[in-house]
């Protein structure tokens, strides 16, 4: 067991207990570095999953950064496979320095084969002294946990049987981070934030309905059935959780077994599990290779701000952001005729040859990219060589791989550590190339680095790699059991079939829905016949502008700076002012919700505090103050109304048999009411700031688009009082004028 020295390390079995108050002040976290899955093979067969790079930074760095921001003081890194590599990495990291925010950091070795084994082992070690977090070593999140921790502790103080709080994220319809086959369904009591039931719905077998106990309907005045939530496996637990794992020796999965079982046995154990559903922040677990690709793109696009490449989380990193979300480190050699396109990362020591084109890709450190090479949507790790004339598209290429001249790596291919691809070879989409051989597997034991259950090679025949090539097709072991997520552990990187679209997997305000709304607006504004490239052009501006404005608002930048950045983006791609207005609205509304959720401001105070300081940003996108037809103001208010109308949750309808079907067409009452209040106070504030005038508000209110559907009508209900006040004020003014006459 490795411990961080110099700060009073946490000792297993220590006799010093401390008071309950002392224990509350010390927050522990358990980081599970082993996923107990095979989704990242062949890479995870040679390297721990938590150390695989995402946007050129190991996954575990994002997790530890998240825990540091959450105020965790004691870290327990619980290892399964590849313990030596994890321990070596941690010992040489910034987390072991005297400046580390962590008081102690322990590394635990184990032979656990599941999360359940790990939890039971932790219970037997007696090192958990109070409330603790459990997270996977592949979590990327900027969610602040202070509020959730406070509410968890209050519930625990009031009821010792409140043993766990799950952090869940709202997501858009059909969210890509959710399992395509087995979708998690949470039955919640919103009045108590309590989870009543959990199961995984198989879309192929169960359709869109789930059966729950009819007793829930009589014992709870209100229930929500949610399948729109992202579960990133961030759990706040009491020590009772470990005891329940120990009592249930056959539980392996934290959700499919533990959560389902504890909730089902509530009448026997009396334990309650709660859920904190949060919005307005980023959270994702890199659970498979599809999520790996999407999270990397989200980091590049700054959806997880302040966690982004130019945060330089690793010691020695020197990334700087350039226009188009391009991140370059120092010490890069770029040929004069090479082309670096948007949303690209390039690490230090890399050289790129003449006429090479890099687009939407991550290139690691010390790579050599030859002439006339084209790399699109790919992940190239460190020390990779790609020689002249080769093409790599939507693939993952691990450290120290060599790709010869005139090669083609098709979408979905995975090339693992140290493989060599000879001249002119085509790597088919979906191929998994490794340098592991059956002899490596035969010599394996649980401690030498191979992941449990990994098999290798295809008999040692490397002829398919071409002359001078070396590598074999990777084959998993014959174990076809499902992994912990309830889906087969099969190959999940299906870029070749277009499984991943351009839409972000960001949980920041349900970006999937935002993309749908963007497409709808393009069609609504006469873009039905527009080319795909034109829609992509508008989408790119929207995404980049929203990210830029939202980042600036988080940094409390001055209004003039925000306006200059926005103007530069607009002029750079000649964006229409409609799209400028829409980007401003989306970014500002996200910031308003953040002020409400995090800073506990009222809707009125949040709107007032934010909008008052940025008057110039709104004035520079509305130009009809002197015109009789207020087209800009109406467009602005319709975009605002649509954005707020789209902020709705899943509700349910329940029949007398207890069969409950989710319905995505209407929203949660409290969420809808907040959207109504935000619209009211935003219109009122902008009117008082002289950004909007009376004619503009009235023309918007009377427009057909403003009452185009039920959600649009519903979200403006509270604003009716302000419109009525304007009408009364106008009547009073007319009467005064008549009296004067």
């Amino acid at each position: 067991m490795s411990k961080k020295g110099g700060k009073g390390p946490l000792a297993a079995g220590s006799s010093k207990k401390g008071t309950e108050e002392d224990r509350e002040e010390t927050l522990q976290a358990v980081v599970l570095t082993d996923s107990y899955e095979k989704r990242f093979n062949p890479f995870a067969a040679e390297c721990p999953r938590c150390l695989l790079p995402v946007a050129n930074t190991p996954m575990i760095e994002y997790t530890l950064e998240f825990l540091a921001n959450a105020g965790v003081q004691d870290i327990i890194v619980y290892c399964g496979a590849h313990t030596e590599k994890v321990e070596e990495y941690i010992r040489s990291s910034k987390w072991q320095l005297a400046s580390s925010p962590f008081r102690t950091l322990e590394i635990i070795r184990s032979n656990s084969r599941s999360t359940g084994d790990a939890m039971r082992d932790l219970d037997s070690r007696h090192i958990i002294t109070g409330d603790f977090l459990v997270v996977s070593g592949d979590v990327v999140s900027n969610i602040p946990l202070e509020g959730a921790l406070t509410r968890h502790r209050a519930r625990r103080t009031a009821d010792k049987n409140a043993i766990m709080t799950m952090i869940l994220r709202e997501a858009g319809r059909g969210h890509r981070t959710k399992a395509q086959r087995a979708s998690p369904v949470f039955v919640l009591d919103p009045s108590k934030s309590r989870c009543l039931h959990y199961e995984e719905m198989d879309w192929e077998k169960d359709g869109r309905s789930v059966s729950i106990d009819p007793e829930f309907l009589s014992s709870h005045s209100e229930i929500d059935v949610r399948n729109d939530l992202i579960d990133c496996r961030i759990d706040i637990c009491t020590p009772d959780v470990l005891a329940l794992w120990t009592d249930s020796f056959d539980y392996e999965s934290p959700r499919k077994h533990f959560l389902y079982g504890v909730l089902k046995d509530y009448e026997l154990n009396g334990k309650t599990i709660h859920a904190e559903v949060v919005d307005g922040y980023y959270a994702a677990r890199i659970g498979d290779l599809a999520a790996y690709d999407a999270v990397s793109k989200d980091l590049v696009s700054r959806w997880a701000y302040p966690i982004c490449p130019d945060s330089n989380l690793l010691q020695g990193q020197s990334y700087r952001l350039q226009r188009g979300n391009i991140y370059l480190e120092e010490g890069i050699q770029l040929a004069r005729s090479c082309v670096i396109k948007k949303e690209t990362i390039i690490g230090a020591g890399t050289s790129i040859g003449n006429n090479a084109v890099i687009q939407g890709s991550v290139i690691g450190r010390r790579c050599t990219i030859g002439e006339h090479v084209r790399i699109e949507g790919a992940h190239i790790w460190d020390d990779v060589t790609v020689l002249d004339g080769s093409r790599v598209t939507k693939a993952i290429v691990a450290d120290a791989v060599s790709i010869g001249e005139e090669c083609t790596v098709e979408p979905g291919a995975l090339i693992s550590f140290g493989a060599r691809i000879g001249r002119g070879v085509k790597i088919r989409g979906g191929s998994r190339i490794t340098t592991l051989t059956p002899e490596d597997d035969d010599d394996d034991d649980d401690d030498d680095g191979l992941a449990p259950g990994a098999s290798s090679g295809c008999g040692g025949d490397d002829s398919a790699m071409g002359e001078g090539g070396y590598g074999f097709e990777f084959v998993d072991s014959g174990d076809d059991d499902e992994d912990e997520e309830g889906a087969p552990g099969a190959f999940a990187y299906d870029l070749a079939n277009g499984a991943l679209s351009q839409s972000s997997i960001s949980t920041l305000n349900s970006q999937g829905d935002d993309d749908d709304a963007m497409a709808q607006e393009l069609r609504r504004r006469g873009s039905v016949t527009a080319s795909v490239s034109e829609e992509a052009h508008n989408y790119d501006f929207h995404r980049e502008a929203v990210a830029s404005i939202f980042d600036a608002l988080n940094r409390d930048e001055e209004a003039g700076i925000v306006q200059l950045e926005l103007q530069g983006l607009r002029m750079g791609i000649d964006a229409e002012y409609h799209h400028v207005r829409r980007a401003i609205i989306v970014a500002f509304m996200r910031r308003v919700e953040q002020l409400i959720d995090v800073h506990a401001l009222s809707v009125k105070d949040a709107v007032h505090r934010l909008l008052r300081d940025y008057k110039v940003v709104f004035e520079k996108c509305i130009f009809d103050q002197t015109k009789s037809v207020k087209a800009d103001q109406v467009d602005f208010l319709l975009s605002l109304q649509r954005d707020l109308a789209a902020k709705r949750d899943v509700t349910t309808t329940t029949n007398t048999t207890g069969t409950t079907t989710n319905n995505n067409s209407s929203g949660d009452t409290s969420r809808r009411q907040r959207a109504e209040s935000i619209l009211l106070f935003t219109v009122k504030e902008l009117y008082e700031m002289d950004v909007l005038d009376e004619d503009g508000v009235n023309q918007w209110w009377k427009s057909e688009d403003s009452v185009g559907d039920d959600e649009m009508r519903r979200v403006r209900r509270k604003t009716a009082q302000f419109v009525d006040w304007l009408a009364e004020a106008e009547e009073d003014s007319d009467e005064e004028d008549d009296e004067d006459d």
Side-chain angles (χ1 to χ4, degrees):
M1 179 184 293
S2 172
K3 298 179 183 176
K4 178 180 175 180
K7 292 191 178 183
L10 177 67
S14 172
S15 60
K16 184 177 180 179
K17 299 291 185 180
T19 66
E20 179 70 22
E21 183 178 353
D22 292 336
R23 270 179 268 155
E24 285 194 357
E25 293 176 354
T26 300
L27 182 62
Q28 296 174 280
V30 176
V31 180
L32 301 176
T33 65
D34 198 331
S35 64
Y36 309 105
E37 302 165 354
K38 298 182 290 184
R39 296 182 174 191
F40 276 78
N41 283 342
F43 307 120
E46 301 181 63
C47 176
R49 173 165 156 179
C50 67
L51 296 187
L52 298 179
V54 177
N56 283 346
T57 298
M59 294 184 194
I60 198 170
E61 286 291 331
Y62 299 110
T63 304
L64 293 175
E65 193 74 24
F66 163 65
L67 294 175
N69 292 333
V72 175
Q73 294 181 337
D74 298 321
I75 298 289
I76 299 169
V77 179
Y78 192 95
C79 302
H82 307 292
T83 300
E84 293 88 350
K85 293 181 180 179
V86 175
E87 190 165 2
E88 179 183 359
Y89 178 85
I90 293 294
R91 283 177 172 172
S92 61
S93 72
K94 67 181 182 181
W95 308 108
Q96 287 284 48
L97 300 176
S99 58
S100 169
F102 303 134
R103 187 183 68 174
T104 67
L105 194 155
E106 300 184 43
I107 298 176
I108 294 179
R109 296 170 174 261
S110 80
N111 294 320
S112 299
R113 297 282 177 162
S114 69
T115 301
D117 289 345
M119 294 295 101
R120 286 183 283 272
D121 182 43
L122 280 171
D123 189 37
S124 68
R125 294 174 184 264
H126 306 294
I127 58 177
I128 300 298
T129 60
D131 289 348
F132 65 103
L133 290 171
V134 178
V135 298
S136 299
D138 53 16
V139 169
V140 179
S141 177
N142 62 5
I143 295 176
L145 292 181
E146 294 88 345
L149 284 165
T150 299
R151 289 184 287 274
H152 167 82
R153 287 166 173 164
R155 282 191 294 265
R156 184 203 60 196
T157 301
D159 180 7
K160 66 179 181 180
N161 287 319
I163 62 169
M164 190 170 96
T165 300
M166 302 176 291
I167 308 298
L168 306 175
R169 278 290 295 109
E170 290 186 344
R173 202 175 306 166
H175 212 283
R176 297 183 314 183
T177 52
K178 297 167 61 179
Q180 297 299 309
R181 175 182 165 189
S183 178
V185 178
F186 296 87
V187 180
L188 307 176
D189 179 346
S191 65
K192 300 178 181 178
S193 300
R194 180 181 158 196
C195 185
L196 305 174
H197 176 72
Y198 171 86
E199 66 178 80
E200 293 175 359
M201 181 188 299
D202 191 321
W203 294 111
E204 296 177 1
K205 297 178 181 178
D206 302 325
R208 293 182 177 273
S209 64
V210 57
S211 296
I212 63 173
D213 189 345
E215 187 176 336
F216 288 151
L217 305 178
S218 59
S219 56
H220 299 275
S221 59
E222 180 182 3
I223 63 171
D224 287 346
V225 179
R226 307 287 298 268
N227 77 329
D228 66 330
L229 301 176
I230 291 179
D231 181 8
C232 293
R233 300 283 180 82
I234 303 172
D235 295 338
I236 308 172
C237 305
T238 68
D240 287 344
V241 168
L242 297 179
L244 283 175
W245 276 105
T246 299
D247 292 342
S248 304
F249 62 89
D250 57 339
Y251 286 177
E252 294 184 355
S253 168
R255 296 292 186 258
K256 189 176 181 181
H257 297 148
F258 179 81
L259 177 60
Y260 174 82
V262 172
L263 297 178
K264 180 175 66 69
D265 294 336
Y266 170 71
E267 296 298 332
L268 297 176
N269 57 46
K271 306 299 183 183
T272 61
I273 295 177
H274 298 259
E276 287 281 336
V277 180
V278 297
D279 190 17
Y281 292 93
Y282 187 91
R285 183 184 174 216
I286 309 172
D288 55 37
L289 290 161
Y292 172 93
D293 178 77
V295 170
S296 178
K297 285 179 168 58
D298 284 351
L299 290 167
V300 171
S301 298
R302 308 180 74 79
W303 290 114
Y305 184 87
I307 302 174
C308 41
D310 57 327
S311 298
N312 294 315
L313 299 182
L314 288 179
Q315 297 179 80
Q317 283 186 335
S318 57
Y319 288 106
R320 298 186 65 180
L321 173 63
Q322 300 189 12
R323 184 176 174 181
N325 285 335
I326 295 173
Y327 302 84
L328 304 180
E329 270 200 291
E330 298 174 357
I332 297 172
Q333 299 180 22
L334 302 178
R336 183 180 297 273
S337 59
C338 75
V339 178
I340 310 299
K341 296 189 176 182
K342 63 182 180 180
E343 297 180 346
T344 293
I345 303 177
I346 302 178
T350 289
S351 63
I352 298 179
N354 285 310
N355 299 307
V357 178
I358 314 295
Q359 179 175 358
S361 299
V362 178
I363 311 294
R365 289 182 165 184
R366 301 176 300 277
C367 294
T368 301
I369 310 299
E371 298 182 355
H372 300 282
V373 169
R374 191 171 187 93
I375 299 176
E376 297 180 9
H379 304 269
I380 311 294
W381 297 354
D382 293 343
D383 302 300
V384 172
T385 299
V386 183
L387 296 183
D388 298 352
S390 290
R391 186 183 185 104
V392 182
T393 306
K394 296 180 179 179
I396 302 179
V397 181
D399 294 350
V401 168
S402 175
I403 298 175
E405 297 178 351
E406 305 297 332
C407 291
T408 300
V409 181
E410 294 184 338
L414 310 176
I415 306 177
S416 195
F417 301 93
R420 299 193 302 272
I421 312 300
R423 177 187 174 92
V425 171
K426 176 184 287 188
I427 303 298
R428 300 184 310 277
S431 298
R432 296 187 291 175
I433 308 302
T434 182
T435 57
L436 292 177
T437 65
E439 289 74 19
D440 296 325
D441 200 26
D442 291 340
D443 295 337
D444 177 45
D445 58 42
D446 286 339
D447 296 323
D448 73 355
L450 277 178
S455 175
S456 63
C458 56
D461 180 11
D462 62 355
S463 59
M465 299 300 105
E467 183 177 354
Y470 182 72
F472 319 103
E473 186 74 21
F474 184 91
V475 180
D476 278 315
S477 65
D479 182 6
D480 292 329
D481 292 341
E482 292 188 350
D483 62 25
E484 287 196 359
E485 298 285 348
F491 181 51
Y493 193 54
D494 193 21
L495 286 181
N497 296 322
L500 298 186
S501 67
Q502 282 190 327
S503 62
S504 168
I505 77 156
S506 170
T507 57
L508 189 61
N509 200 33
S510 305
Q511 179 65 19
D513 286 345
D514 191 46
D515 295 338
D516 293 341
M518 182 65 174
Q520 292 171 9
E521 291 233 351
L522 288 169
R523 290 191 289 271
R524 186 185 296 110
R525 292 181 60 80
S527 298
V528 177
T529 60
S531 66
V532 173
S533 61
E534 185 178 343
E535 290 201 10
H537 172 86
N538 291 326
Y539 169 77
D540 289 341
F541 169 78
H542 175 78
R543 183 174 56 177
E544 191 168 344
V546 170
S548 175
I549 298 168
F550 187 74
D551 288 353
L553 296 178
N554 272 284
R555 297 193 302 267
D556 291 326
E557 293 279 13
E558 294 183 358
I561 295 176
V562 176
Q563 174 56 29
L564 285 174
E565 291 183 0
L566 184 59
Q567 183 177 358
L569 287 172
R570 186 193 68 80
M571 296 178 65
I573 60 175
D574 194 25
E576 296 179 5
Y577 273 104
H578 163 74
H579 298 301
V580 174
R581 288 190 283 269
R582 187 171 182 278
I584 290 171
I585 287 164
V586 171
F588 271 80
M589 290 305 98
R590 289 178 183 171
R591 180 57 176 161
V592 165
E593 292 201 336
Q594 192 179 63
L595 292 172
I596 296 169
D597 292 335
V598 179
H599 300 279
L601 296 182
S602 67
V603 172
K604 180 180 180 181
D605 290 343
V607 170
H608 177 78
R609 170 176 164 179
L610 181 63
L611 270 57
R612 279 286 170 177
D613 293 333
Y614 291 94
K615 180 179 179 180
V616 66
V617 176
F618 300 103
E619 288 179 329
K620 295 296 184 180
C621 71
I622 295 175
F623 308 100
D624 57 9
Q625 282 83 356
T626 60
K627 299 178 181 178
S628 59
V629 178
K630 308 295 185 179
D632 292 348
Q633 294 184 48
V634 171
D635 179 64
F636 181 93
L637 289 169
L638 285 174
S639 295
L640 173 65
Q641 187 181 358
R642 291 187 187 108
D643 181 73
L644 292 169
K647 299 178 184 302
R648 53 178 175 261
D649 296 338
V650 169
T651 58
T652 64
T653 56
T654 308
N655 59 34
T656 56
T657 64
T659 300
T660 306
T661 305
N662 69 328
N663 179 4
N664 287 308
S665 63
S666 59
D668 173 80
T669 302
S670 60
R671 174 81 166 167
R672 185 168 62 243
Q673 288 177 345
R674 185 165 81 174
E676 293 173 16
S677 298
I678 292 175
L679 180 61
L680 166 62
F681 287 112
T682 300
V683 173
K684 182 175 181 293
E685 191 72 32
L686 291 174
Y687 174 80
E688 293 177 352
M689 292 165 58
D690 294 327
V691 173
L692 302 175
D693 58 33
E694 182 179 346
D695 289 340
V697 173
N698 285 326
Q699 289 178 26
W700 158 66
W701 190 257
K702 296 175 182 177
S703 70
E704 292 183 0
D705 288 340
S706 182
V707 290
D709 57 41
D710 290 342
E711 286 299 327
M712 290 287 280
R713 287 191 292 271
R714 183 180 294 114
V715 80
R716 72 178 212 158
R717 288 183 302 190
K718 290 187 177 180
T719 310
Q721 59 185 292
F722 177 68
V723 176
D724 292 343
W725 176 85
L726 285 178
E728 292 173 2
E730 178 66 18
E731 291 177 1
D732 293 342
S733 176
D734 291 341
E735 290 176 0
E736 291 176 1
D737 291 341
D738 291 341
E739 291 176 0
D740 292 340
D741 292 340

